[in-house]
Amino acid sequence: MTRVTPESPPVQPEPAPQPEPAPQQALPQASAAAARNAVTEWIITIILLLFGTTTLVQAFVIPTGSMEDSLLIGDHLLVDKLAYAPAGPVSRHLLPYTPVKRGDIVVFRYPADVRQTFVKRVIGVPGDRIRIVNKEVFLNGRRIEEPYKVHKTSYIDSYRDNFPSEPNTRVDRRAEEMLERHVAGGELVVPPGRYFVLGDNRDSSLDSRYWGFVPRENIIGKPLLVYWSYDAPTHRLAGPGFQLEHWKDLATNFISKTRWRRTFMLIRGHAALQ
């Protein structure tokens, strides 16, 4: 399972002034659109960093590996809490509200214990039909390409890798209800107001296969970026409160254990599923 642990948002330094870019040739239409989208993402991110509070954006840390290699243990995220908020008559024109889409990475309250916060990828939205055959996901009758997923075991598990089927391990009662009420023709049918999510580290993820659908009201927001990534073990990140061992490690190894290449890495969904 991948939990995300809330933490206090860091104070962000003012960005250094940048030199004016050199004149460039006109981009093709597709490239220009991609460039505009990237600029828009950065503008929104900067606004949230400068003016956001826990109402707008919140910091979380990834303590487990079920979203590897998209998100790593020790990734510190900023999560946009307004992305999926209901749009008002005025705010809908001012803020980038979007529906929850297939391929989105979402942060949500764990249905079996809402005190815990998880992060997974949305595979199915209301009305979708889902089936997994020998580790391959079929969505509405077609096999989908998932370049983000990883498999770290070579064997086929009768439930995990061929779903829906008879569980060969203990699952939450919500998963039992899901299998009893929402399977038709060998496929799982996602009901209204619910979402089916999986971890990218597909063989080592406690996800909808084991505890059922994510209710829409449980979804908190979507990760914007990794603002800092530090190589630390799960037990130091998942435990409650102050951990002296972790702070000693930070004081000694901050430079060497920080994954500098992941700093300010934007987190995007997988558009091909949408």
Side-chain angles (χ1 to χ4, degrees):
M1 78 182 167
T2 297
R3 258 188 335 184
V4 283
T5 304
E7 58 179 2
S8 300
V11 177
Q12 299 295 324
E14 291 188 13
Q18 301 294 319
E20 295 186 4
Q24 296 181 348
Q25 295 181 349
L27 295 171
Q29 186 174 359
S31 299
R36 285 195 299 271
N37 290 339
V39 170
T40 301
E41 287 187 74
W42 275 110
I43 290 174
I44 293 170
T45 300
I46 291 170
I47 290 172
L48 290 172
L49 287 174
L50 293 176
F51 304 107
T53 65
T54 54
T55 303
L56 303 177
V57 64
Q58 188 169 354
F60 292 90
V61 60
I62 301 291
T64 64
S66 77
M67 281 296 290
E68 293 177 346
D69 293 325
S70 302
L71 298 174
L72 305 180
I73 297 172
D75 278 355
H76 291 64
L77 315 177
L78 289 180
V79 174
D80 178 4
K81 298 177 70 174
L82 286 180
Y84 303 127
V90 176
S91 62
R92 72 178 60 196
H93 303 293
L94 302 176
L95 295 169
Y97 297 111
T98 61
V100 180
K101 300 184 294 295
R102 301 183 202 96
D104 284 356
I105 297 174
V106 296
V107 174
F108 57 93
R109 295 181 185 88
Y110 178 36
D113 181 358
V114 295
R115 295 170 298 179
Q116 299 184 48
T117 309
F118 280 18
V119 58
K120 304 288 180 189
R121 190 181 299 273
V122 176
I123 301 298
V125 301
D128 281 344
R129 296 174 287 108
I130 296 166
R131 175 167 66 104
I132 302 175
V133 180
N134 293 337
K135 299 182 185 284
E136 298 294 333
V137 175
F138 288 77
L139 178 65
N140 298 324
R142 66 178 183 89
R143 186 177 68 84
I144 59 175
E145 297 294 332
E146 297 187 276
Y148 47 78
K149 74 172 180 177
V150 295
H151 290 287
K152 298 188 177 182
T153 63
S154 57
Y155 64 89
I156 299 295
D157 181 87
S158 63
Y159 179 73
R160 180 194 69 190
D161 302 325
N162 286 284
F163 177 91
S165 60
E166 185 67 26
N168 58 13
T169 186
R170 184 176 180 180
V171 299
D172 186 80
R173 62 174 178 81
R174 295 165 184 81
E176 294 175 351
E177 178 182 320
M178 174 182 70
L179 295 170
E180 291 172 1
R181 298 185 180 183
H182 300 288
V183 174
E187 296 177 309
L188 182 73
V189 182
V190 184
R194 299 292 185 267
Y195 295 86
F196 185 83
V197 300
L198 295 173
D200 289 357
N201 186 2
R202 198 60 52 81
D203 300 342
S204 301
S205 174
L206 186 63
D207 48 40
S208 284
R209 293 171 291 186
Y210 301 97
W211 41 254
F213 299 114
V214 178
R216 175 63 182 84
E217 59 270 21
N218 283 39
I219 297 178
I220 296 171
K222 64 192 302 184
L224 288 171
L225 56 78
V226 176
Y227 67 87
W228 179 43
S229 184
Y230 188 77
D231 186 5
T234 294
H235 72 272
R236 291 185 188 168
L237 301 172
F242 177 85
Q243 294 198 29
L244 180 60
E245 182 187 12
H246 183 55
W247 287 100
K248 286 181 177 178
D249 184 59
L250 279 172
T252 307
N253 301 301
F254 177 82
I255 299 296
S256 61
K257 288 191 175 182
T258 291
R259 305 182 185 106
W260 297 101
R261 291 186 179 182
R262 297 182 67 80
T263 303
F264 299 128
M265 183 186 79
L266 291 174
I267 301 170
R268 296 186 177 92
H270 186 60
L273 296 187
Q274 301 167 11

